[in-house]
Amino acid sequence: TVLILVIFWSVTVAIVTDPLNGLAVGESGEVVFGNLWYSSWAGFVISVMLLTSCLRTTFGVDVSGGFMARSARATHWSALFAFSVVVMGTSANIYDADCTIEGKNEVWCKRTALAVSLGTVGTLLSMIIVGLKILTQSPFVLEVSSSFILFVAWAIGIGFITSELGPGAPIGNLYHFSWFCFLCTFLIGSSCFEDYAAAKAMVEESQLNTAIEEQLSEF
C-alpha cells in the first residue's frame, strides 16, 4: 500500500508541476497555484518517509541508517541526485514549451539549456558516486573533484538561471531545486574539507608521536 502511495504521489508531482499541463505551474515555470504545488510535494515527501519507516519496522531494513553508516556524505549525494533530476526534468519541460517555437527568446533559451546541462551533469556525477557508495566506497579524490566542479558550476549557473532573464526567476520547481543543488554542493565540499583536515591532523599527530618516541629511545 505504501509503495502504491509513493508511485501515486510521484506521478501526481510529475503531472501537477509540468508547465505543459497548466495546473500548479505556469508556462514559464512559475507557481500559479501554491496550495496544489506545496501539497503535492508534501504528499510525495511524506509517502517516501512512510515507505522508509515501513521497511524499517516490518522487514528490519534500515535504509537510511545503513547507507549513512556505510559511507560519509551518502545522504548529501543522494539528495543532490534527487534535486538534479528535478532541475533536469523541469528545465527540459520549459525548453520544450518555450524554445521550440517561432520567435523564441534567445537569452531565455540559452539559460534554460544551461539549467538542463547542469541538471544532467549533476545527475550523472551524483548517480555514479551514490552507486559506488552502495557497492563499495567512493574514492575521496573523486568526491572532492566532483563536488568542486559542481560547486563552481552552480555558483556561476545559479546567477544566470534564477536572475530576471532566467527560467528560474519565477518561484517554482526550477528556482527552489536550483538553490537546493547549490546548497548540496556546498555541504558536500565542506564535509570533504573537514575530512581532509581531520586526516591531516591525525597524520601530523602520528608523526609527532613517532618523533617523540625516537627522541626517548636515544636516552
Side-chain angles (χ1 to χ4, degrees), residues 19-113:
L20 298 178
N21 295 327
L23 295 175
V25 179
E27 293 182 357
S28 300
E30 77 281 5
V31 175
V32 295
F33 192 1
N35 288 342
L36 181 59
W37 190 86
Y38 284 109
S39 60
S40 298
W41 278 111
F44 172 73
V45 172
I46 292 173
S47 66
V48 172
M49 293 173 63
L50 287 173
L51 177 61
T52 304
S53 177
C54 181
L55 290 173
R56 184 185 299 115
T57 56
T58 305
F59 302 102
V61 180
D62 191 355
V63 178
S64 59
F67 193 26
M68 291 175 65
R70 194 179 303 123
S71 181
R73 294 173 296 278
T75 303
H76 291 154
W77 281 111
S78 299
L80 180 61
F81 171 75
F83 298 155
S84 298
V85 168
V86 176
V87 169
M88 178 178 63
T90 302
S91 54
N93 285 337
I94 294 175
Y95 190 91
D96 290 339
D98 297 342
C99 300
T100 56
I101 58 176
E102 294 293 334
K104 61 184 180 181
N105 188 321
E106 293 293 338
V107 175
W108 172 279
C109 292
K110 287 180 179 179
R111 297 188 180 190
T112 304

Side-chain angles (χ1 to χ4, degrees), residues 129-153:
I129 293 175
V130 168
L132 289 174
K133 286 181 177 293
I134 292 174
L135 297 175
T136 54
Q137 287 287 336
S138 176
F140 184 71
V141 176
L142 176 62
E143 284 196 67
V144 172
S145 57
S146 298
S147 62
F148 177 76
I149 292 172
L150 289 174
F151 175 76
V152 173

Side-chain angles (χ1 to χ4, degrees), residues 155-193:
I156 298 172
I158 199 75
F160 289 102
I161 295 170
T162 62
S163 63
E164 183 179 358
L165 299 177
I171 303 299
N173 283 352
L174 189 54
Y175 176 86
H176 287 100
F177 286 93
S178 293
W179 278 108
F180 290 162
C181 286
F182 174 71
L183 292 176
C184 263
T185 58
F186 174 77
L187 292 175
I188 292 170
S190 299
S191 179
C192 288
F193 178 78

